[in-house]
Amino acid sequence: MSSTTVYTAIFTVVLYCLFFTQSKVTAGSLDVHPTEKALVVHYEVEASILGESGGHMLGERKEGQKIIRVKSLSPSTDVGALAKKVVEECKLIPPSRLPQVEQLLYYLQNRKSSPVEGKEKRTVKPRELTPFEGMELNEEASITRVDEYVELLYEGIPEKIRGSALILQLARNPDNLEELLHNEAALGALARVLREDWKQSVELATIIIYIFFCFSSFSQFHGVVSHYKIGALCMSVVEHELKRHDVWREELRKKNKSAPENGSLRRDQDKAMRKYQGLLAKQEQLLRVSLYLLLNLAEDTRTELKMRNKNIVGLLVKVLDRDDEELLVLVVSFLKKLSIFLENKNDMAEVDTVERLARLVPCDHEDLLNLTLRLLLNLSFDSGLRGKMVEVGLLPKLTAMLGDESNRQVAMRILYHISIDDRFKGMFVYTDCIPQLMRMLYEHGEEEIEAELISICINLAANKRNAQLMCEGNGLKMLMKRALKMKDCLLMKMIRNISQHDGLTKPLFLDYVGDLAAEIRAEEEEEWVLECLGTLANLTIADLDWELVLKEYNLVPYLKDRLKPGSAEDDLILEVVIMIGTVSMDDACAAMLAKSGIIPALIELLNAQQEDDEFVCQIVYVFYQMVFHQATRDVIIKDTQAPAYLIDLMHDKNAEIRKVCDNTLDIIAEYDEEWGRKIQSEKFRFHNNQWLEMVESRQADDSEPYLYDNDNDRTDLFYSAGTRRTLEHTLHELNPPLTLEFRSY
């Protein structure tokens, strides 16, 4: 077929597509962009090929979207005018949708920007590799002369360097990669030279690995890199170079060990140092291109697993001792990627990763600092590594990062993880963290507090010394004012944690008892009431007139109503029980509660929640408080079955419940003779049951050697008077039986 015929056929096809193809664009839904100030227009393109008669022969549909950014949108922008402009300029939006566009723009105008947008959301990647010494040539490579460059790879080392450098010039242009990919002779020769000669020339190894790095930058070319086993070779290169570096350092150390006595020795040392620095610069170029290639290949988790089996984590952590910032950015990026898997994180814990990272915080290189903090954040999910971070002195360094706008969020998240552990809460006292956090809370004004900030404050408030620092000056006043105004549950949770500490902080809450009590109403949200009630329940202050508070704010009906099982969430009901226990320390309050019928309600709740140790312990504690007072003691002993329930709980598995029960029953036994006998009898029965079980167990143990003797021998064993006396005497010494003694009162 002649070339004229071919061109005629192509021309005919083009004309056919032009005149017999029909496309139709249909507008779809409109929405706002989740993070940017932009509208997202969804549309559908339907392309059809028509026959000569005009009928549809072939059709295809494809969905798409167009993003319309409105960066100029501000609180003062005329939304109506902007909407008209958007509709006029975007042909995908019909005029009928103008009201919808206005509504979406209005939403964007009033949407609060996320605190983690901007720099916090940016993706920090290692900087692209740039030409370095050995790569630069005076001649320009041509894709048509590749075969000539391949021939150079069969010559000496200088020719191999020149040939590979020319091929690298081509590979750095992505348009040439497809053609180079099909040149198996070139790729095979490059792989062979790398495999055979990489130890002879650092420059040659660097250039050839760089060529394969260009392929590794695109996922579709990873297959060719794997085919020539370049990844495994790079692992060997990195491992070998790190060992060479150790040898260099040792030689340099030996030369510098003895103090120079004359100018000649000093010159030798300077020469050795310059040589070391030159070798180090070339080696770091090789390490950087090798590790970057491995990072690209690690997109495949199976390849990443192979690297892990060859100790990639140990090699990377060793490189953290270097000073080259671009190499460190690459290494930390690689470690951050690996750290999301448990096995890799455990490997990092074994090779002192945190200790090596600590020197990079802070540093002048913004990207390196940000990546280091993000890696530390991933590692901070492990409690052991959190301990390491505190041990190596990262706590004050991270606290200083709170003043850095670009790294504040990451630093705060790491500090939050550290604050979870009770071992480290007290160490925040010795940093500037708490004053900074309080200042940040104050600066928020009426804006919503970001989750990381309030979360770390809640954790730190659980420590007594931290709580005192938070209350210094007008700290508590500021917190209470904001919490009550905004009805901020998380801020009130922080205040609740502060209120639990005895000492200097509790009396400060006297000014806010009325404000808190006023919030305890059925109309309020349960979560909000829970925090206010919990704060009040913590205020075990002798000077506080609880009777006046209960009467003035009519709290008794609310408390009684919430004691009904199922009337609210269990957390709120539990706080009601704790509140009753707190106010029951006051004689008048205890009498008021007893008259209101709260004690039977508590017994009913005890029946319903008997499997929940926390509920049982708190209800028993209420009884313990009430038996101290004459009025409520008589009601509990004579009008309720509370003592019987306490006797049943006397031998509970939970040690705290047993302790509170014993103390409560001792008081009841002291004031009521009849219940005293019952309690003493139950204690006697339980004690002797234990004693009898011990006797039977001891007899069974002693009888084992005689199990296969005749019956007469066994009879002598169990019923011999001398044997029985010896056994009973031994058991009596171990645990003498309890005898009933009734004391008169």
Side-chain angles (χ1 to χ4, degrees):
M1 183 183 290
S2 66
S3 58
T4 306
T5 308
V6 172
Y7 290 139
T8 304
I10 294 173
F11 184 68
T12 304
V13 171
V14 171
L15 283 177
Y16 186 87
C17 291
L18 286 173
F19 293 102
F20 295 94
T21 303
Q22 184 181 62
S23 62
K24 180 182 178 183
V25 180
T26 307
S29 61
L30 268 174
D31 206 347
V32 294
H33 194 281
T35 57
E36 298 181 25
K37 285 186 178 179
L39 298 176
V40 181
V41 184
H42 299 272
Y43 62 90
E44 185 180 81
V45 179
E46 182 180 1
S48 313
I49 296 178
L50 305 177
E52 293 182 2
S53 60
H56 288 272
M57 293 178 59
L58 186 65
E60 183 182 1
R61 291 188 178 186
K62 187 176 181 181
E63 293 183 350
Q65 67 176 28
K66 180 178 177 62
I67 298 176
I68 305 171
R69 289 179 173 81
V70 283
K71 294 182 180 179
S72 61
L73 184 64
S74 66
S76 59
T77 301
D78 185 344
V79 173
L82 181 60
K84 288 179 182 177
K85 185 178 179 182
V86 169
V87 172
E88 287 172 3
E89 294 185 1
C90 182
K91 303 303 180 185
L92 294 172
I93 305 176
S96 59
R97 288 200 170 185
L98 179 61
Q100 186 182 0
V101 174
E102 278 191 39
Q103 186 178 2
L104 293 174
L105 289 173
Y106 180 76
Y107 171 79
L108 282 174
Q109 189 181 41
N110 292 278
R111 183 171 69 178
K112 291 182 179 178
S113 59
S114 170
V116 294
E117 283 182 11
K119 289 186 178 180
E120 199 55 35
K121 276 290 184 184
R122 75 186 192 279
T123 302
V124 180
K125 292 184 178 180
R127 201 176 69 188
E128 284 298 326
L129 292 170
T130 53
F132 47 83
E133 187 180 353
M135 288 172 51
E136 298 290 354
L137 293 174
N138 293 328
E139 58 184 306
E140 187 175 343
S142 171
I143 193 68
T144 59
R145 300 175 61 191
V146 173
D147 292 340
E148 296 178 23
Y149 308 148
V150 173
E151 289 178 7
L152 293 172
L153 299 177
Y154 294 91
E155 304 294 333
I157 294 296
E159 289 77 15
K160 289 177 180 178
I161 291 175
R162 178 170 169 266
S164 57
L166 288 166
I167 295 174
L168 177 57
Q169 277 190 31
L170 300 174
R172 292 188 66 214
N173 183 352
D175 296 336
N176 296 326
L177 290 178
E178 193 76 39
E179 188 164 343
L180 288 173
L181 180 68
H182 296 299
N183 194 329
E184 294 184 9
L187 294 179
L190 288 166
R192 176 188 59 78
V193 171
L194 178 62
R195 198 160 38 248
E196 295 174 356
D197 298 331
W198 67 266
K199 289 184 181 179
Q200 297 183 38
S201 170
V202 173
E203 291 89 348
L204 180 61
T206 304
I207 293 169
I208 296 178
I209 292 174
Y210 201 149
I211 293 169
F212 284 101
F213 161 77
C214 294
F215 284 98
S216 74
S217 300
F218 301 91
S219 300
Q220 62 266 38
F221 296 142
H222 283 186
V224 69
V225 181
S226 301
H227 174 72
Y228 291 105
K229 302 188 185 309
I230 303 301
L233 198 53
C234 284
M235 290 288 295
S236 301
V237 169
V238 171
E239 187 175 3
H240 179 265
E241 291 301 325
L242 291 177
K243 288 178 181 177
R244 285 180 67 190
H245 181 253
D246 291 339
V247 173
W248 295 343
R249 290 183 66 179
E250 182 61 24
E251 290 176 354
L252 191 64
R253 187 188 64 81
K254 287 179 180 178
K255 286 193 175 184
N256 293 333
K257 190 173 182 180
S258 56
E261 297 177 0
N262 53 52
S264 177
L265 285 174
R266 188 178 293 108
R267 283 193 297 273
D268 288 344
Q269 286 184 347
D270 292 342
K271 183 179 178 181
M273 176 58 73
R274 286 195 298 272
K275 181 181 177 182
Y276 167 74
Q277 290 173 344
L279 292 171
L280 189 64
K282 291 182 179 180
Q283 188 188 67
E284 288 181 344
Q285 290 172 354
L286 176 57
L287 287 175
R288 187 170 172 227
V289 71
S290 301
L291 291 173
Y292 213 149
L293 183 145
L294 291 171
L295 175 59
N296 288 341
L297 294 182
E299 287 179 6
D300 186 340
T301 53
R302 292 170 297 180
T303 305
E304 185 180 302
L305 181 59
K306 292 178 183 177
M307 294 180 192
R308 189 222 167 210
N309 293 336
K310 292 190 175 184
N311 192 32
I312 184 65
V313 170
L315 297 176
L316 290 170
V317 171
K318 205 168 181 181
V319 181
L320 287 175
D321 292 331
R322 304 294 182 107
D323 295 322
D324 184 270
E325 290 181 335
E326 292 303 327
L327 178 60
L328 288 172
V329 166
L330 174 61
V331 170
V332 176
S333 297
F334 206 155
L335 286 170
K336 184 172 76 72
K337 180 185 184 305
L338 295 172
S339 66
I340 63 175
F341 292 101
L342 178 65
E343 296 82 4
N344 296 330
K345 182 268 297 178
N346 292 338
D347 290 345
M348 292 179 199
E350 293 175 3
V351 289
D352 299 332
T353 308
V354 172
E355 289 86 336
R356 286 178 162 92
L357 290 172
R359 75 180 186 93
L360 302 178
V361 181
C363 67
D364 295 330
H365 195 290
E366 187 178 349
D367 287 345
L368 178 57
L369 177 58
N370 189 270
L371 283 166
T372 303
L373 291 174
R374 289 178 183 277
L375 173 56
L376 287 171
L377 175 61
N378 287 357
L379 298 178
S380 68
F381 284 89
D382 182 278
S383 60
L385 291 173
R386 289 200 296 269
K388 283 282 186 185
M389 292 177 194
V390 175
E391 186 180 323
V392 299
L394 273 173
L395 190 56
K397 292 182 178 181
L398 292 168
T399 298
M401 291 289 103
L402 294 177
D404 181 358
E405 188 68 33
S406 58
N407 294 304
R408 176 184 297 171
Q409 293 298 323
V410 186
M412 197 177 295
R413 289 167 187 166
I414 302 170
L415 290 171
Y416 166 72
H417 285 164
I418 295 173
S419 73
I420 292 172
D421 200 319
D422 290 336
R423 295 175 297 166
F424 310 130
K425 285 185 172 77
M427 296 184 181
F428 282 82
V429 174
Y430 306 104
T431 70
D432 191 39
C433 186
I434 291 173
Q436 286 198 65
L437 295 175
M438 293 298 290
R439 185 162 55 250
M440 289 160 67
L441 283 175
Y442 180 77
E443 289 171 355
H444 268 77
E446 295 187 4
E447 296 177 6
E448 184 178 354
I449 302 173
E450 54 212 76
E452 293 86 359
L453 173 58
I454 191 60
S455 299
I456 189 174
C457 289
I458 290 170
N459 287 346
L460 293 180
N463 176 270
K464 183 175 181 178
R465 186 70 187 102
N466 290 338
Q468 291 174 352
L469 285 176
M470 291 172 178
C471 293
E472 282 185 356
N474 291 322
L476 182 60
K477 181 179 180 181
M478 181 269 289
L479 294 174
M480 288 294 303
K481 182 178 179 181
R482 177 187 166 85
L484 292 169
K485 183 177 181 180
M486 307 298 295
K487 294 194 184 298
D488 190 327
C489 295
L490 291 176
L491 192 56
M492 187 55 73
K493 188 183 290 289
M494 174 187 172
I495 294 168
R496 177 182 170 186
N497 280 358
I498 294 173
S499 69
Q500 69 183 331
H501 304 293
D502 294 323
L504 300 174
T505 52
K506 275 195 180 179
L508 299 175
F509 282 87
L510 284 172
D511 294 336
Y512 308 105
V513 171
D515 295 323
L516 292 168
E519 298 298 323
I520 301 173
R521 304 190 302 270
E523 306 84 52
E524 296 289 349
E525 291 288 335
E526 279 192 9
E527 187 181 0
W528 170 248
V529 174
L530 169 68
E531 302 303 336
C532 293
L533 194 60
T535 305
L536 278 177
N538 286 335
L539 302 183
T540 51
I541 305 172
D543 298 335
L544 183 53
D545 188 347
W546 280 115
E547 182 186 12
L548 180 63
V549 174
L550 293 181
K551 286 181 177 177
E552 184 170 344
Y553 296 96
N554 196 29
L555 294 182
V556 174
Y558 178 87
L559 298 177
K560 183 180 177 182
D561 186 57
R562 283 291 178 267
L563 285 177
K564 296 174 184 176
S567 62
E569 292 291 331
D570 283 353
D571 287 346
L572 180 57
I573 298 175
L574 181 61
E575 284 305 324
V576 168
V577 175
I578 295 171
M579 178 70 178
I580 292 171
T582 299
V583 301
S584 294
M585 291 187 295
D586 183 90
D587 190 19
C589 284
M592 186 191 306
L593 293 173
K595 289 177 184 177
S596 69
I598 271 182
I599 296 174
L602 285 170
I603 294 174
E604 182 184 352
L605 182 61
L606 181 62
N607 281 328
Q609 300 285 355
Q610 55 186 320
E611 299 300 324
D612 190 319
D613 285 355
E614 183 67 22
F615 264 101
V616 172
C617 191
Q618 294 297 343
I619 293 172
V620 171
Y621 179 75
V622 173
F623 293 151
Y624 172 73
Q625 290 292 350
M626 287 188 167
V627 295
F628 273 107
H629 312 296
Q630 179 67 42
T632 48
R633 182 168 57 243
D634 291 342
V635 173
I636 288 175
I637 294 173
K638 296 176 182 177
D639 300 340
T640 72
Q641 290 298 311
Y645 282 98
L646 293 172
I647 289 173
D648 288 341
L649 293 168
M650 192 164 51
H651 312 303
D652 193 88
K653 294 179 181 179
N654 188 297
E656 288 298 321
I657 294 175
R658 291 199 305 271
K659 182 180 177 181
V660 181
C661 273
D662 286 342
N663 292 338
T664 309
L665 289 171
D666 286 345
I667 297 172
I668 292 174
E670 187 175 346
Y671 285 98
D672 189 278
E673 187 174 333
E674 182 180 352
W675 275 113
R677 283 195 296 271
K678 291 179 182 178
I679 294 166
Q680 193 76 1
S681 175
E682 173 59 25
K683 288 183 177 181
F684 169 79
R685 185 189 65 76
F686 181 75
H687 185 86
N688 280 286
N689 277 346
Q690 288 182 313
W691 184 79
L692 291 173
E693 287 174 7
M694 188 182 298
V695 171
E696 291 171 3
S697 173
R698 183 63 177 267
Q699 287 175 342
D701 291 343
D702 288 348
S703 68
E704 285 179 4
Y706 305 94
L707 287 176
Y708 299 101
D709 290 346
N710 59 48
D711 292 340
N712 293 331
D713 290 338
R714 290 205 304 275
T715 305
D716 291 341
L717 171 68
F718 287 111
Y719 294 101
S720 166
T723 304
R724 187 188 309 163
R725 280 198 301 274
T726 303
L727 179 62
E728 289 177 353
H729 179 70
T730 302
L731 289 173
H732 190 278
E733 289 180 342
L734 291 171
N735 195 10
L738 179 68
T739 54
L740 276 173
E741 293 183 4
F742 296 104
R743 295 167 58 190
S744 57
Y745 302 103

